[in-house]
Amino acid sequence: MTTAIAERKGGAESALALRRSPEEQDLIRAEICRGATDSEIRMFLYKCQSLGVNPLRGQAHLVAMSEKDGDNWVSKKAFIMGVEGFAARAAQHADFLGCEAFAV
């Protein structure tokens, strides 16, 4: 199975479709979504696809966090957009004129 890449206006690369090669699936599971369940990984990929970001390019991350639920701590996963993801999203907008630096 190969990776299908969605194209947007202007031909810019956007979100990767949910179909992935076995190598990419293993890489995502081991490096980007370490310790995540299949449903958490699927939800992460849906979010990436809907936002037009590519997790294999460091544009989005799935981060484990702990949250207090009453007297217990519960492990949860959070979708985090990387700097590269914000840049990719900005580049998709017709009014984006570019930038000289991302540092402030």
Side-chain angles (χ1 to χ4, degrees):
M1 183 185 319
T2 60
T3 302
I5 298 177
E7 293 293 324
R8 290 205 181 202
K9 181 179 165 186
E13 180 183 334
S14 64
L16 291 177
L18 296 177
R19 295 187 310 263
R20 305 203 178 268
S21 71
E23 295 82 17
E24 289 171 324
Q25 291 174 15
D26 292 343
L27 183 62
I28 289 169
R29 181 174 302 285
E31 299 299 327
I32 300 170
C33 299
R34 193 172 299 144
T37 64
D38 288 341
S39 62
E40 289 169 333
I41 293 172
R42 220 174 3 243
M43 181 59 79
F44 171 73
L45 293 174
Y46 280 124
K47 287 180 183 179
C48 288
Q49 185 173 0
S50 69
L51 292 171
V53 294
N54 183 342
L56 295 173
R57 291 186 172 216
Q59 296 175 350
H61 312 278
L62 189 64
V63 179
M65 305 182 113
S66 295
E67 182 178 278
K68 191 145 183 154
D69 184 16
D71 292 334
N72 301 321
W73 285 94
V74 179
S75 178
K76 298 207 173 191
K77 302 290 189 275
F79 176 91
I80 305 292
M81 180 87 80
V83 172
E84 296 86 0
F86 285 109
R89 292 280 295 155
Q92 293 171 9
H93 197 278
D95 293 335
F96 181 67
L97 300 175
C99 62
E100 293 181 20
F102 285 106
V104 177

